[in-house]
Amino acid sequence: MCGIVGQIGSKPTELAPALDAIHHRGPDDRGTWRGRAGEQTVDLGFVRLAILDLSPAGHQPMPSADGSVWLTFNGEIYNYRELRDELRAAGHTFKSESDSETILYAYQQYGEAFVQRLRGMFALALWDAKREKLVLARDRLGIKPLLYSQHGGRLAWASEAKGLLKLGVPRTLNRDALHDYLRYLYVPPPKSIFAEIHRLEPGHMLVWERGQLRNERYWSITRAPEERDEATVIAQLRQLLEETVRQHLASDVPLGAFLSGGLDSSTLVALMARHTPGKVKTFCMTFGDGEELYDERQYARAVAQHFGTEHTEIPVKPNLVELLPQMVRHFDEPFGNPTALLVYLLSQETRKHVTVALAGDGGDEVFLGYPRYQGAWLASRYRVAPRMLRHALGDLSSLIHDSTRGNHSLRRAREFLSTGELPLEEMYENWIGYFTEAEIRTLLRQATAQTHSQLAPLFAEATGTEFVDRAAQVDLRSFLPGNLLRYTDAMSMAHSLEVRVPFCDHRLVEFLAALPASQKMPRLEMKALLKKAMAKELPPMVRERKKLGFNPPMGIWLNRELAPLVDEHLSPARLEREGFFDPGLVSEMMAAHRKGTRDFSLHIWSLLVFQTWLGLYQGA
């Protein structure tokens, strides 16, 4: 796991400040290389977190044997041993035991199709001197980040926006991205919060060749779901899970796993225990002082005892006032999912014991583990009810109030009824959104050029006759990479911890995407296939427990530890002075939240995060 920066243009900038800015991604080594392409200068920069082949042979930028191709690479290629054998048979000679060298010769052997051979997580920059071609590529699911900018006659790229800012890219605010942030609590690619910085989308390749730039999508899920024999599916799924987890265990440094005691993390630990010599190291967060509703320690302990792991519990008592700006600096832009705080703290403590940790990200998307998938199935049937009835129930939904203590059932009921007359795609976007479009229009002091939703074009491309199937495909291209994988990467790499996510293996994703919701969620049972595949190994309490989710008690924190900070950053006077948000609407939300009549936790938190970012990055 590492960090990369680079540039190509006639007026290069020194790379050292950019490498300093992303040093946390790779504290073990760094390197630079400079080449030429006519009048253009090509610079590659790299910081290394050594995981495979800890020797100097793994140093980057890495050249091919003939010196014509140079590589910088962030990630892990899990099938590198198989690829190495294939490439050796084709005549290539290897000097290291790293997976990075495999990428070099795969490119020389297969050209741009090399990326189709890679099974893993990656963001890479590859310079082909003979063809004067630069290839930037990001893995299929978007596990690893890659940003770029065309500014001042130069193309620059980096693992994090702070690297580009250190290369002189302007910090100009993208107001359309601010709209998206309020809607989704993150800025979806290809946008970033900075007008001059773009995020390469998952499954895409950006190619610069003799001055011409093209952006191509190289991977997609296009096959319509089709039901198959269940016994065969379970057997194949079990085999694929075993293979995927086994590949994710390749490491020359200590390795462990995040363990909540939920189905996803318990599955990973069960399979790790089968393929790991000695005890698996597991890590779990715990809460207290009125926050026990969010605590999963009893389940994690039971799983750890069942599989005999070396278990570490991490009590959460964060200094939130100090933690907030640290979190924002590692994102470089507003990011409103407060689970990021927990991953930051979990990664900080886990890194004291291991360098690599496996996590269950992606399990809910591929196995249908979110309650909203049940809601989506019900909503598609609810549409046959008389319109007058749906309209009446929609009016009654305003009488349903949720509390600040996490009563998600009430919130879901209100959302279901209030969107009962909308088209299914629009309904779903309201479910996964936070501020509504009407609220955003009232909240923002300056209108944006926003004209369409993030999800509409994704729904247009999704396949399947059932709405649930299409919704899950949309989540794989939006919520998963833009939200979950985004905070996992940023918060773990803040502490030089590599987190691997086996459920995001593209072969596993393709296998499950080819099955319909009726088979993955029969009788509305979430994650039914995973439960059946792991039935003989997981304790009953894991298979039968209700989903809790990895969430902090933000409603409590906002009314307690964070209250002074909220009053300071969201005061009417400050909001009026800065001119982004309407002070009246913000004050109304804060009052309702503090009275407990409506849970505006994520709305208030997202505004607090933006205000913190504004002070750190825009000098407000």
Coordinates of all heavy atoms in Angstrom, one line a residue, residues 176-189 193 199 327-328 331 333-340 411 415 429-437 439-440 443 454-455 478-479 481-484 486-487 551-552 554 558 581 589 599-610 613:
D176 N -21.2 23.1 -7.5 CA -22.0 22.0 -7.8 C -21.7 20.8 -6.9 O -22.5 20.0 -6.5 CB -21.8 21.6 -9.3 CG -22.5 22.5 -10.2 OD1 -23.3 23.4 -9.7 OD2 -22.3 22.4 -11.4
A177 N -20.4 20.7 -6.6 CA -20.0 19.6 -5.7 C -20.5 19.8 -4.3 O -20.8 18.9 -3.5 CB -18.4 19.5 -5.6
L178 N -20.6 21.1 -3.9 CA -21.2 21.4 -2.6 C -22.7 20.9 -2.5 O -23.2 20.3 -1.5 CB -21.2 22.9 -2.3 CG -21.9 23.4 -1.0 CD1 -21.4 22.6 0.2 CD2 -21.7 24.9 -0.8
H179 N -23.4 21.1 -3.6 CA -24.8 20.6 -3.7 C -24.8 19.1 -3.5 O -25.6 18.5 -2.8 CB -25.4 21.0 -5.1 CG -26.7 20.3 -5.4 ND1 -26.8 19.0 -5.8 CD2 -28.0 20.8 -5.4 CE1 -28.1 18.7 -5.9 NE2 -28.8 19.8 -5.7
D180 N -23.9 18.4 -4.2 CA -23.8 16.9 -4.1 C -23.5 16.5 -2.7 O -24.0 15.5 -2.2 CB -22.8 16.4 -5.1 CG -23.2 16.5 -6.5 OD1 -24.4 16.7 -6.8 OD2 -22.4 16.4 -7.4
Y181 N -22.6 17.2 -2.1 CA -22.2 16.9 -0.7 C -23.4 16.9 0.2 O -23.6 16.0 1.0 CB -21.1 17.8 -0.2 CG -20.8 17.7 1.3 CD1 -20.3 16.6 1.8 CD2 -21.2 18.8 2.1 CE1 -20.1 16.5 3.2 CE2 -21.0 18.7 3.5 CZ -20.4 17.5 4.0 OH -20.2 17.4 5.4
L182 N -24.2 18.0 0.1 CA -25.4 18.1 1.0 C -26.4 17.0 0.7 O -27.1 16.5 1.6 CB -26.0 19.5 0.8 CG -25.2 20.7 1.2 CD1 -25.8 22.0 0.8 CD2 -24.9 20.6 2.7
R183 N -26.5 16.6 -0.6 CA -27.4 15.5 -1.0 C -27.0 14.2 -0.5 O -27.8 13.4 0.0 CB -27.6 15.5 -2.5 CG -28.7 14.7 -3.0 CD -30.0 15.3 -2.8 NE -31.2 14.6 -3.3 CZ -32.1 13.9 -2.6 NH1 -32.0 14.0 -1.3 NH2 -33.1 13.3 -3.2
Y184 N -25.7 13.8 -0.6 CA -25.3 12.5 -0.4 C -24.3 12.3 0.8 O -23.9 11.2 1.2 CB -24.6 11.9 -1.6 CG -25.4 12.0 -2.9 CD1 -25.0 12.9 -3.9 CD2 -26.6 11.3 -3.0 CE1 -25.8 13.0 -5.0 CE2 -27.3 11.5 -4.2 CZ -26.9 12.3 -5.2 OH -27.7 12.5 -6.3
L185 N -23.8 13.4 1.4 CA -22.8 13.5 2.4 C -21.4 13.2 1.9 O -20.5 13.0 2.7 CB -23.1 12.6 3.6 CG -24.5 12.9 4.3 CD1 -24.5 12.2 5.6 CD2 -24.7 14.4 4.5
Y186 N -21.2 13.0 0.6 CA -19.9 12.9 0.0 C -20.0 13.5 -1.4 O -21.1 13.7 -1.9 CB -19.5 11.5 -0.1 CG -20.3 10.6 -1.0 CD1 -20.0 10.4 -2.3 CD2 -21.4 9.9 -0.5 CE1 -20.8 9.6 -3.1 CE2 -22.2 9.1 -1.3 CZ -21.9 8.9 -2.6 OH -22.7 8.1 -3.4
V187 N -18.9 13.8 -2.0 CA -18.8 14.3 -3.4 C -18.6 13.2 -4.3 O -17.5 12.6 -4.3 CB -17.7 15.4 -3.5 CG1 -17.7 15.9 -5.0 CG2 -18.0 16.5 -2.6
P188 N -19.5 12.8 -5.2 CA -19.4 11.6 -6.1 C -18.4 12.0 -7.2 O -18.4 13.1 -7.7 CB -20.8 11.4 -6.6 CG -21.5 12.7 -6.4 CD -20.9 13.4 -5.3
P189 N -17.6 11.0 -7.6 CA -16.8 11.2 -8.8 C -17.6 11.3 -10.1 O -18.8 10.9 -10.1 CB -15.9 9.9 -8.8 CG -16.8 8.9 -8.1 CD -17.5 9.6 -7.1
I193 N -14.5 18.5 -4.4 CA -14.9 19.8 -3.9 C -14.1 21.0 -4.5 O -14.5 22.1 -4.5 CB -14.8 19.9 -2.3 CG1 -15.6 21.0 -1.7 CG2 -13.3 20.0 -1.9 CD1 -17.1 20.9 -1.9
R199 N -11.8 13.3 -9.8 CA -11.6 12.0 -9.3 C -11.8 11.0 -10.4 O -12.9 10.9 -11.0 CB -12.5 11.7 -8.1 CG -12.1 10.5 -7.3 CD -13.1 10.3 -6.1 NE -13.0 11.5 -5.2 CZ -12.1 11.7 -4.3 NH1 -11.2 10.8 -4.1 NH2 -12.2 12.8 -3.6
M327 N -9.7 14.5 11.0 CA -10.4 13.8 10.0 C -10.6 14.5 8.7 O -10.3 14.0 7.6 CB -11.8 13.4 10.5 CG -12.6 12.6 9.6 SD -14.4 12.6 10.1 CE -14.9 14.1 9.3
V328 N -10.9 15.8 8.8 CA -11.1 16.6 7.6 C -9.9 16.7 6.8 O -9.9 16.7 5.5 CB -11.7 18.0 8.0 CG1 -11.7 18.9 6.7 CG2 -13.1 17.9 8.6
F331 N -9.3 13.8 4.5 CA -10.2 13.7 3.4 C -10.0 14.8 2.4 O -10.3 14.6 1.2 CB -11.7 13.8 3.9 CG -12.3 12.5 4.4 CD1 -12.5 12.3 5.7 CD2 -12.6 11.5 3.5 CE1 -13.1 11.2 6.2 CE2 -13.1 10.3 4.0 CZ -13.4 10.1 5.3
E333 N -11.6 17.2 1.8 CA -12.9 17.8 1.3 C -13.9 17.4 2.4 O -13.7 16.5 3.2 CB -13.3 17.3 -0.1 CG -13.6 15.8 -0.2 CD -13.9 15.5 -1.7 OE1 -13.8 16.4 -2.6 OE2 -14.2 14.3 -1.9
P334 N -15.1 18.1 2.4 CA -16.1 17.7 3.3 C -16.6 16.2 3.1 O -16.8 15.8 1.9 CB -17.3 18.7 3.0 CG -16.6 19.8 2.3 CD -15.5 19.2 1.5
F335 N -16.7 15.5 4.2 CA -17.2 14.1 4.1 C -18.1 13.9 5.3 O -17.6 14.0 6.4 CB -16.0 13.1 4.1 CG -16.5 11.7 3.9 CD1 -16.7 11.2 2.6 CD2 -16.7 10.9 5.0 CE1 -17.1 9.9 2.4 CE2 -17.2 9.6 4.8 CZ -17.4 9.1 3.5
G336 N -19.4 13.6 5.1 CA -20.3 13.7 6.2 C -20.8 12.4 6.8 O -21.6 12.5 7.7
N337 N -20.2 11.3 6.4 CA -20.6 10.0 7.1 C -19.7 9.9 8.4 O -18.5 9.7 8.3 CB -20.3 8.8 6.2 CG -20.8 7.5 6.8 OD1 -21.0 7.4 8.0 ND2 -21.0 6.5 6.0
P338 N -20.4 10.0 9.6 CA -19.6 10.0 10.8 C -19.0 8.7 11.2 O -18.1 8.6 12.1 CB -20.6 10.4 11.9 CG -21.9 10.0 11.3 CD -21.8 10.2 9.8
T339 N -19.3 7.6 10.5 CA -18.6 6.3 10.7 C -17.1 6.5 10.4 O -16.3 5.8 11.0 CB -19.2 5.3 9.8 OG1 -20.6 5.1 10.1 CG2 -18.5 3.9 10.0
A340 N -16.7 7.5 9.6 CA -15.3 7.8 9.4 C -14.6 8.0 10.7 O -13.4 7.6 10.8 CB -15.2 9.0 8.4
R411 N -37.8 6.3 11.3 CA -37.3 7.1 10.2 C -37.6 6.4 8.9 O -38.1 7.0 7.9 CB -35.8 7.4 10.3 CG -35.2 8.1 9.1 CD -33.7 8.4 9.3 NE -33.0 7.2 9.6 CZ -32.5 6.3 8.7 NH1 -32.8 6.5 7.4 NH2 -31.8 5.3 9.0
E415 N -40.0 7.7 5.8 CA -39.4 7.8 4.4 C -40.2 7.0 3.4 O -40.5 7.4 2.3 CB -38.0 7.4 4.4 CG -37.1 8.4 5.1 CD -35.6 8.0 5.2 OE1 -35.4 6.8 4.9 OE2 -34.7 8.8 5.5
E429 N -33.5 7.5 -4.4 CA -32.6 8.6 -4.2 C -32.9 9.4 -3.0 O -32.0 9.8 -2.3 CB -32.5 9.5 -5.4 CG -31.5 10.6 -5.3 CD -30.8 10.9 -6.6 OE1 -31.3 10.5 -7.7 OE2 -29.7 11.5 -6.6
N430 N -34.2 9.6 -2.7 CA -34.6 10.2 -1.5 C -34.2 9.4 -0.2 O -33.9 10.0 0.8 CB -36.1 10.5 -1.5 CG -36.5 11.8 -2.2 OD1 -36.4 12.9 -1.7 ND2 -36.8 11.7 -3.5
W431 N -34.3 8.1 -0.3 CA -34.0 7.3 0.8 C -32.5 7.4 1.1 O -32.1 7.4 2.3 CB -34.3 5.8 0.5 CG -35.7 5.5 0.5 CD1 -36.8 6.4 0.7 CD2 -36.3 4.2 0.3 NE1 -38.0 5.7 0.6 CE2 -37.7 4.4 0.4 CE3 -35.8 2.9 0.1 CZ2 -38.6 3.3 0.3 CZ3 -36.7 1.9 0.0 CH2 -38.1 2.0 0.0
I432 N -31.6 7.4 0.1 CA -30.2 7.4 0.4 C -29.6 8.8 0.5 O -28.5 9.0 0.8 CB -29.4 6.6 -0.7 CG1 -29.6 7.1 -2.1 CG2 -29.8 5.1 -0.6 CD1 -28.6 8.1 -2.5
G433 N -30.5 9.8 0.2 CA -30.1 11.2 0.3 C -30.3 11.7 1.7 O -30.9 11.0 2.5
Y434 N -29.8 12.9 2.0 CA -29.9 13.5 3.3 C -30.7 14.8 3.2 O -31.9 14.8 3.4 CB -28.5 13.6 3.9 CG -28.0 12.2 4.2 CD1 -27.2 11.6 3.2 CD2 -28.3 11.5 5.3 CE1 -26.7 10.3 3.4 CE2 -27.8 10.2 5.5 CZ -27.0 9.6 4.5 OH -26.6 8.3 4.7
F435 N -30.1 15.9 2.9 CA -30.9 17.1 2.6 C -31.7 16.8 1.3 O -31.2 16.3 0.3 CB -30.0 18.3 2.4 CG -29.3 18.8 3.6 CD1 -28.1 18.4 4.0 CD2 -30.0 19.7 4.4 CE1 -27.5 18.9 5.2 CE2 -29.4 20.3 5.5 CZ -28.2 19.8 6.0
T436 N -33.0 17.2 1.3 CA -33.8 17.0 0.1 C -33.4 18.2 -0.8 O -32.8 19.2 -0.5 CB -35.3 17.1 0.5 OG1 -35.6 18.4 0.9 CG2 -35.6 16.1 1.5
E437 N -33.9 18.0 -2.1 CA -33.6 19.1 -3.1 C -34.3 20.4 -2.6 O -33.7 21.5 -2.8 CB -34.1 18.6 -4.4 CG -33.3 17.5 -5.1 CD -31.9 18.0 -5.5 OE1 -31.7 19.2 -5.6 OE2 -31.1 17.1 -5.8
E439 N -34.8 21.3 0.5 CA -34.0 21.9 1.6 C -32.7 22.5 1.1 O -32.3 23.6 1.6 CB -33.7 20.8 2.6 CG -34.9 20.3 3.4 CD -34.6 19.1 4.2 OE1 -33.7 18.3 3.9 OE2 -35.3 18.9 5.2
I440 N -32.1 21.9 0.1 CA -30.9 22.4 -0.5 C -31.1 23.8 -1.1 O -30.4 24.7 -1.0 CB -30.2 21.5 -1.5 CG1 -29.8 20.2 -0.7 CG2 -29.1 22.1 -2.2 CD1 -29.3 19.1 -1.6
L443 N -31.5 26.1 1.7 CA -30.3 26.2 2.5 C -29.2 27.0 1.8 O -28.6 27.9 2.5 CB -29.8 24.8 2.8 CG -28.5 24.7 3.7 CD1 -28.8 25.3 5.1 CD2 -28.1 23.3 3.8
Q454 N -27.2 12.2 -9.3 CA -26.1 11.3 -9.5 C -26.6 9.9 -9.9 O -25.9 9.2 -10.7 CB -25.3 11.1 -8.2 CG -24.1 10.1 -8.3 CD -23.7 9.6 -6.9 OE1 -24.3 9.9 -5.9 NE2 -22.7 8.8 -6.9
L455 N -27.7 9.5 -9.4 CA -28.2 8.1 -9.6 C -28.9 7.9 -10.9 O -29.0 6.8 -11.4 CB -29.1 7.7 -8.4 CG -28.5 7.8 -7.0 CD1 -29.3 7.1 -6.0 CD2 -27.0 7.3 -6.9
S478 N -22.0 3.8 -6.7 CA -22.2 5.1 -6.1 C -21.9 5.0 -4.6 O -20.8 5.4 -4.1 CB -23.6 5.6 -6.3 OG -24.6 4.7 -5.8
F479 N -22.8 4.5 -3.8 CA -22.6 4.5 -2.3 C -21.4 3.7 -1.9 O -20.7 4.2 -1.0 CB -23.9 3.9 -1.7 CG -23.9 3.9 -0.2 CD1 -24.2 5.0 0.5 CD2 -23.6 2.7 0.5 CE1 -24.2 5.0 1.9 CE2 -23.6 2.7 1.9 CZ -23.9 3.9 2.6
P481 N -18.3 2.9 -3.5 CA -17.0 3.6 -3.7 C -17.0 5.0 -3.2 O -15.9 5.4 -2.7 CB -16.8 3.6 -5.3 CG -18.2 3.5 -5.8 CD -19.0 2.7 -4.8
G482 N -18.1 5.8 -3.3 CA -18.0 7.2 -3.0 C -18.1 7.4 -1.5 O -17.6 8.4 -1.0
N483 N -18.7 6.4 -0.7 CA -18.9 6.6 0.7 C -18.1 5.6 1.5 O -17.1 6.0 2.1 CB -20.4 6.4 1.0 CG -20.8 6.9 2.4 OD1 -20.0 6.8 3.3 ND2 -22.0 7.4 2.5
L484 N -18.4 4.3 1.4 CA -17.8 3.3 2.3 C -16.3 3.2 2.0 O -15.5 3.2 2.9 CB -18.5 2.0 2.2 CG -20.0 2.0 2.5 CD1 -20.5 0.6 2.6 CD2 -20.3 2.7 3.8
R486 N -14.4 5.1 0.4 CA -13.7 6.3 0.5 C -13.2 6.5 1.9 O -12.1 6.9 2.2 CB -14.7 7.5 0.1 CG -14.1 8.9 0.3 CD -13.4 9.4 -0.9 NE -13.1 10.8 -0.8 CZ -11.9 11.2 -0.2 NH1 -11.0 10.4 0.3 NH2 -11.7 12.5 -0.1
Y487 N -14.1 6.3 2.9 CA -13.7 6.6 4.3 C -12.7 5.5 4.8 O -11.8 5.7 5.6 CB -14.8 6.8 5.3 CG -15.8 5.7 5.6 CD1 -15.3 4.5 6.3 CD2 -17.1 5.8 5.3 CE1 -16.2 3.5 6.6 CE2 -18.0 4.8 5.7 CZ -17.5 3.7 6.3 OH -18.4 2.7 6.7
N551 N -22.0 2.4 13.4 CA -22.3 3.9 13.5 C -22.0 4.4 14.8 O -22.2 3.8 15.9 CB -23.8 4.1 13.2 CG -24.2 3.6 11.8 OD1 -23.7 4.0 10.8 ND2 -25.2 2.6 11.8
P552 N -21.6 5.7 14.9 CA -21.3 6.3 16.2 C -22.6 6.9 16.7 O -23.5 7.1 16.0 CB -20.3 7.4 15.8 CG -20.7 7.8 14.5 CD -21.1 6.5 13.8
M554 N -24.0 9.7 17.1 CA -23.8 11.1 16.7 C -24.9 12.0 17.3 O -24.6 13.1 17.7 CB -23.8 11.2 15.2 CG -23.4 12.6 14.7 SD -21.9 13.3 15.5 CE -20.7 12.2 14.9
L558 N -23.7 15.2 19.4 CA -24.0 16.6 19.0 C -24.7 17.4 20.1 O -24.5 18.6 20.3 CB -24.9 16.6 17.8 CG -24.3 16.2 16.5 CD1 -25.3 16.0 15.4 CD2 -23.3 17.3 16.0
F581 N -24.8 29.3 3.8 CA -26.0 28.6 4.3 C -27.0 29.6 4.9 O -26.6 30.6 5.5 CB -25.7 27.5 5.3 CG -24.7 26.5 4.8 CD1 -23.6 26.2 5.5 CD2 -25.0 25.8 3.6 CE1 -22.7 25.2 5.0 CE2 -24.1 24.9 3.1 CZ -22.9 24.6 3.8
M589 N -33.3 23.4 12.4 CA -32.9 22.0 12.5 C -32.2 21.8 13.8 O -32.5 20.8 14.5 CB -31.9 21.7 11.3 CG -32.5 21.5 10.0 SD -31.4 20.8 8.8 CE -30.2 22.1 8.7
D599 N -34.7 13.8 14.3 CA -33.2 13.4 14.3 C -32.6 14.1 13.1 O -32.7 13.6 12.0 CB -33.0 11.9 14.3 CG -31.6 11.5 14.4 OD1 -30.7 12.5 14.5 OD2 -31.3 10.3 14.3
F600 N -31.9 15.2 13.3 CA -31.2 15.9 12.3 C -29.7 15.7 12.5 O -28.9 16.5 12.1 CB -31.5 17.4 12.3 CG -32.8 17.8 11.6 CD1 -33.8 18.3 12.3 CD2 -32.9 17.6 10.2 CE1 -35.0 18.6 11.7 CE2 -34.1 17.9 9.6 CZ -35.2 18.4 10.3
S601 N -29.3 14.6 13.1 CA -27.9 14.3 13.4 C -27.0 14.5 12.2 O -26.0 15.2 12.3 CB -27.7 12.9 14.0 OG -28.5 12.7 15.1
L602 N -27.3 13.8 11.1 CA -26.4 13.8 10.0 C -26.4 15.1 9.2 O -25.4 15.5 8.7 CB -26.7 12.6 9.0 CG -26.5 11.2 9.6 CD1 -26.9 10.2 8.6 CD2 -25.0 11.1 10.0
H603 N -27.5 15.8 9.3 CA -27.6 17.1 8.6 C -26.7 18.1 9.4 O -25.9 18.8 8.7 CB -29.0 17.6 8.7 CG -30.0 16.8 8.0 ND1 -30.5 15.6 8.5 CD2 -30.7 16.9 6.8 CE1 -31.3 15.0 7.6 NE2 -31.5 15.8 6.6
I604 N -26.8 18.1 10.7 CA -26.0 19.1 11.5 C -24.5 18.7 11.4 O -23.7 19.6 11.2 CB -26.5 19.1 12.9 CG1 -27.9 19.6 13.0 CG2 -25.6 19.9 13.8 CD1 -28.6 19.5 14.3
W605 N -24.2 17.4 11.5 CA -22.9 17.0 11.4 C -22.2 17.3 10.1 O -21.1 17.8 10.0 CB -22.8 15.4 11.7 CG -21.4 14.8 11.4 CD1 -21.1 14.0 10.3 CD2 -20.2 15.0 12.2 NE1 -19.8 13.7 10.4 CE2 -19.2 14.3 11.5 CE3 -19.9 15.7 13.3 CZ2 -17.9 14.2 12.0 CZ3 -18.6 15.6 13.8 CH2 -17.6 14.9 13.1
S606 N -23.0 17.1 9.0 CA -22.4 17.4 7.7 C -22.1 18.9 7.5 O -21.1 19.3 6.9 CB -23.4 17.0 6.6 OG -24.6 17.7 6.6
L607 N -23.0 19.8 8.1 CA -22.7 21.2 8.1 C -21.5 21.6 8.9 O -20.7 22.4 8.6 CB -23.9 22.0 8.5 CG -25.2 21.9 7.6 CD1 -26.4 22.6 8.3 CD2 -24.9 22.4 6.2
L608 N -21.4 20.9 10.1 CA -20.2 21.2 10.9 C -18.9 20.8 10.3 O -17.9 21.5 10.3 CB -20.4 20.4 12.3 CG -19.3 20.5 13.3 CD1 -19.1 21.9 13.7 CD2 -19.6 19.6 14.5
V609 N -19.0 19.6 9.5 CA -17.8 19.2 8.8 C -17.4 20.2 7.7 O -16.3 20.5 7.5 CB -18.0 17.8 8.2 CG1 -16.9 17.4 7.2 CG2 -18.1 16.7 9.3
F610 N -18.4 20.7 7.0 CA -18.2 21.6 5.9 C -17.5 22.9 6.5 O -16.6 23.5 5.9 CB -19.4 22.0 5.1 CG -19.2 23.1 4.1 CD1 -18.7 22.7 2.8 CD2 -19.4 24.4 4.4 CE1 -18.4 23.7 1.9 CE2 -19.2 25.4 3.4 CZ -18.7 25.0 2.2
W613 N -14.0 22.3 7.2 CA -13.2 22.2 6.0 C -13.0 23.6 5.5 O -11.9 24.0 5.0 CB -13.9 21.4 4.9 CG -13.3 21.4 3.6 CD1 -12.2 20.7 3.2 CD2 -13.6 22.3 2.5 NE1 -11.9 21.1 1.9 CE2 -12.7 22.1 1.5 CE3 -14.5 23.3 2.4 CZ2 -12.7 22.8 0.3 CZ3 -14.6 24.0 1.2 CH2 -13.7 23.7 0.1

